[in-house]
Amino acid sequence: MTLALLLTAVIMSAQTTGVKITPKYQKGDNMLYRTMGTTQVAGQVVNSVSENRYTVIDASADGYTIEVKTEKMDSDGQDFMARLLQMMEQAVKSGNVTYKTDADGKVISIVNFEEVKKSTGVYIEKMIDELMSEMPQAEAMFSKDDLKQQIAGTLTEENLIAQVTSFANPLALNGKTISTGAMDQGSDPNGRKLKNIYFLSAADGSKVKVTTALDMSKEEMKKMIIEQVKKSMPQQADMVIENIDQLMDSGMFNLNMNITSDYEFLPSGWAKSINLVMKQEMMGQGIESTQKIELVESNR
């Protein structure tokens, strides 16, 4: 068999049978990732930078215990919607999170969930109070108490695990068997159903592309919108429920999301880099984001 035919056979076999992402972490692994992001929303461009340190504090045949510590998070966003988006992201990253994984490195629980929930709740209170103080006009758009309750309501262990296993980060693909064209379903912290499609960009699984999109029927979307309106705008809930079909047909409640994530892994299974492009439409508002996650410090 010629070299070209041999390589083709290897690639076809990998695409058919799949490559399982099973990292070989070691106790004491210390990896610092820097995320450079740009978000365009409401006609404004918001630039951000964050740094997260991943430390393996225990490793055994049953899995790993990994602490993730946010060491830096800066942004230049100024308008209310930009600051609100930042606040919601920062709220779930405001403290150290310790994950427990299975033998394949897939996150299965949050060891210090109660601590994370408490510290995040305090952070939410502080951020919303500061935001409303800086932008008093926002009081006309949002009830401070309703906003606090709505965001705090997403702080469940299930939602936080869904976030780390459904969106681009160094642990997201652990335990998955990747083959070109393979699909699975996930969800985001707001309960929206997602469909992921995978592609092997390298036959050995060292490079992987993932496309993610909303995967909800009109009836599922309608139910979710009504539940959110009841929580965030209870005084308008009856009007929305009565006219929900017309409002959805008008495009006012359009919800769309498409994400492309490109991963490159080191032989150890730690991500070397992740590049993400996301386009969303929420309530008629277009949001475009890019993120570049790079390993900038490693002890391996």
Side-chain angles (χ1 to χ4, degrees), residues 57-91:
I57 59 179
D58 190 40
S60 70
D62 296 327
Y64 307 96
T65 304
I66 303 173
E67 180 187 67
V68 182
K69 180 180 180 181
T70 301
E71 297 191 346
K72 179 179 182 179
M73 182 172 284
D74 294 321
S75 175
D76 61 7
Q78 297 299 321
D79 76 340
F80 179 76
M81 288 305 297
R83 291 290 305 282
L84 179 60
L85 289 171
Q86 296 161 38
M87 178 188 70
M88 293 176 70
E89 180 178 3
Q90 290 171 357

Side-chain angles (χ1 to χ4, degrees), residues 65-266:
T65 304
I66 303 173
E67 180 187 67
V68 182
K69 180 180 180 181
T70 301
E71 297 191 346
K72 179 179 182 179
M73 182 172 284
D74 294 321
S75 175
D76 61 7
Q78 297 299 321
D79 76 340
F80 179 76
M81 288 305 297
R83 291 290 305 282
L84 179 60
L85 289 171
Q86 296 161 38
M87 178 188 70
M88 293 176 70
E89 180 178 3
Q90 290 171 357
V92 297
K93 297 180 178 178
S94 58
N96 299 346
V97 183
T98 303
Y99 297 109
K100 179 67 178 175
T101 81
D102 63 13
D104 294 326
K106 178 182 178 181
V107 174
I108 56 175
S109 66
I110 298 175
V111 177
N112 62 334
F113 172 70
E114 290 302 325
E115 178 186 331
V116 171
K117 183 178 180 180
K118 181 178 179 180
S119 63
T120 302
V122 171
Y123 186 87
I124 288 173
E125 294 272 343
K126 177 183 176 183
M127 283 297 297
I128 292 179
D129 288 341
E130 288 182 1
L131 196 59
M132 294 297 190
S133 175
E134 294 172 9
M135 302 177 181
Q137 70 275 16
E139 290 267 19
M141 301 168 56
F142 299 94
S143 161
K144 184 187 295 187
D145 291 338
D146 287 344
L147 196 56
K148 290 178 181 179
Q149 291 178 11
Q150 186 176 358
I151 297 176
T154 67
L155 295 175
T156 67
E157 185 173 10
E158 181 181 12
N159 281 352
L160 296 183
I161 291 174
Q163 180 161 333
V164 79
T165 57
S166 298
F167 291 94
N169 69 85
L171 307 179
L173 299 188
N174 289 354
K176 294 183 181 292
T177 298
I178 308 296
S179 60
T180 293
M183 294 184 290
D184 66 20
Q185 288 187 319
S187 62
D188 70 5
N190 295 313
R192 297 182 298 183
K193 294 181 180 179
L194 307 173
K195 179 171 69 175
N196 301 306
I197 305 177
Y198 300 92
F199 303 88
L200 281 175
S201 303
D204 62 356
S206 61
K207 294 182 180 181
V208 174
K209 180 186 291 290
V210 186
T211 63
T212 302
L214 286 180
D215 186 31
M216 299 179 68
S217 67
K218 181 178 179 180
E219 288 303 312
E220 289 173 328
M221 194 76 72
K222 184 189 300 185
K223 181 180 178 181
M224 184 188 72
I225 291 170
I226 290 174
E227 289 176 351
Q228 289 182 344
V229 169
K230 285 180 178 179
K231 292 178 182 178
S232 60
M233 298 182 292
Q235 68 279 8
Q236 300 182 39
D238 289 341
M239 183 276 291
V240 171
I241 292 171
E242 183 178 347
N243 298 283
I244 185 66
D245 288 307
Q246 294 92 323
L247 291 169
M248 291 183 71
D249 290 341
S250 72
M252 182 178 294
F253 284 145
N254 277 357
L255 291 173
N256 291 298
M257 179 174 65
N258 290 281
I259 306 173
T260 300
S261 307
D262 288 286
Y263 290 77
E264 182 175 0
F265 294 99
L266 297 171

